[in-house]
Amino acid sequence: MKKIRTWGLLAGLALLLHGRLAPAAESVPLYVYYSDPTFAAGSPGSLTDKLAAWLTQRSNGRYQFVATQLPRRRLELMMEQPHWPGVVAWANPRWFAAAARQSWSRYYMVDANLVASLRGAPLEYVDDSSLHGQRIGTVQGYIYKNLEPLVKDGKLSRDDADSELRNLLKLQQRRVPVAFVQASSLPRFRRQFADLDSWLYLSARPRTVFERAFFTGPNQPELLDFVNRQADALLADQPWQDAFGTCKLVLPRQSGATDAQRKLCR
């Protein structure tokens, strides 16, 4: 009995030591600066919350990703620091002045800015001349490629709201004739508006098609390597592609996508 007790004590001590020696998962902020519910941390069905859990599970105990909301201005101030921690999701280097100083992953999502109007007064987008004379529902603070020179020249006008949802409501109420809507927002809007497709018209050609990626500070090579591998896995993960809900919206509008972007959707 004495030997059994001794072995039991030794086994318990070994388990205790193993627990103490096993490294704890490193907590990693997964930053998102979008305030719309599709991406905003803590929103019902937030893709960022789901992505944080997915990345944590994929790391096998190495990382604990925490979805973290951060206003765009605070994010840009943080990026000025040489050793900021964590990962930013859903980004594109074209959208950040300090992009060259950051470390970018491969793309894992294709998205698009769709040109929306009413079925009773549909607008078919061919190029930006199609928008001349229009008052366009846009989101305050968003930078739309090549739009500002047209606004400055008086060829069109922006009618800013604080969210895409507000713009969609303005369009429905005929307060604007045209609005820009991200393809990634459409699944959420279809859940919110059961009759959406009966009154919303989407031009066959999107205004822009773009990719989304992760980025980290330049001092996190192991973390960058990890998210790079996960970017490839996300492209091959059909449930995630269905959750993004963008490829099926971008692919039929092939005139607005490059061959590389279409390849990412396959």
Side-chain angles (χ1 to χ4, degrees):
M1 290 295 292
K2 186 175 182 180
K3 286 184 178 180
I4 292 173
R5 285 197 299 272
T6 301
W7 279 110
L9 288 170
L10 289 173
L13 181 61
L15 286 171
L16 180 62
L17 288 172
H18 177 75
R20 287 181 176 177
L21 294 174
E26 179 183 344
S27 181
V28 178
L30 182 67
Y31 296 112
V32 56
Y33 58 91
Y34 287 97
S35 58
D36 278 322
T38 300
F39 297 115
S43 297
S46 164
L47 286 180
T48 307
D49 290 357
K50 293 177 180 178
L51 185 58
W54 186 85
L55 290 170
T56 298
Q57 188 270 330
R58 296 273 302 182
S59 77
N60 295 318
R62 174 71 177 86
Y63 299 113
Q64 176 73 43
F65 288 86
V66 181
T68 305
Q69 193 72 32
L70 196 64
R72 173 67 182 254
R73 180 56 183 153
R74 282 184 57 196
L75 173 62
E76 290 177 341
L77 289 172
M78 184 182 75
M79 289 168 62
E80 294 176 3
Q81 306 303 313
H83 301 296
W84 62 269
V87 181
V88 178
W90 320 114
N92 186 295
R94 296 194 298 267
W95 305 338
F96 293 89
R101 299 199 298 271
Q102 315 307 319
S103 297
W104 290 83
S105 79
R106 291 185 282 274
Y107 299 119
Y108 56 86
M109 181 183 183
V110 179
D111 208 341
N113 275 314
L114 307 178
V115 180
S117 53
L118 291 175
R119 286 193 175 275
L123 185 144
E124 200 63 60
Y125 177 85
V126 177
D127 56 31
D128 280 348
S129 66
S130 309
L131 303 173
H132 288 181
Q134 300 289 348
R135 189 174 77 262
I136 302 170
T138 50
V139 178
Q140 187 173 18
Y142 278 25
I143 298 172
Y144 299 92
K145 183 181 179 182
N146 301 328
L147 195 72
E148 291 312 312
L150 299 177
V151 174
K152 186 176 180 181
D153 291 344
K155 293 180 178 178
L156 53 83
S157 62
R158 290 183 60 154
D159 193 321
D160 281 356
D162 59 3
S163 69
E164 284 188 308
L165 175 60
R166 295 273 188 191
N167 275 323
L168 202 61
L169 291 171
K170 288 196 302 183
L171 179 65
Q172 185 186 36
Q173 296 162 5
R174 300 181 182 273
R175 293 165 55 198
V176 293
V178 184
F180 294 150
V181 178
Q182 292 182 120
S184 52
S185 299
L186 258 293
R188 172 170 56 89
F189 289 146
R190 286 196 169 106
R191 290 192 297 270
Q192 287 182 273
F193 299 92
D195 63 342
L196 183 70
D197 291 320
S198 70
W199 55 267
L200 183 71
Y201 180 79
L202 298 174
S203 172
R205 181 186 177 108
R207 183 169 187 269
T208 55
V209 180
F210 53 92
E211 306 89 354
R212 296 188 186 275
F214 300 109
F215 72 88
T216 72
N219 61 318
Q220 302 177 88
E222 290 184 11
L223 185 57
L224 177 65
D225 178 67
F226 172 77
V227 295
N228 249 330
R229 286 183 276 118
Q230 305 325 306
D232 293 339
L234 282 167
L235 287 173
D237 190 319
Q238 191 59 50
W240 262 107
Q241 292 305 313
D242 291 343
F244 291 153
T246 53
C247 282
K248 62 179 177 287
L249 291 165
V250 172
L251 277 176
R253 301 167 168 81
Q254 292 193 9
S255 60
T258 66
D259 288 341
Q261 288 163 338
R262 291 196 292 270
K263 186 176 179 181
L264 286 175
C265 271
R266 294 191 180 115

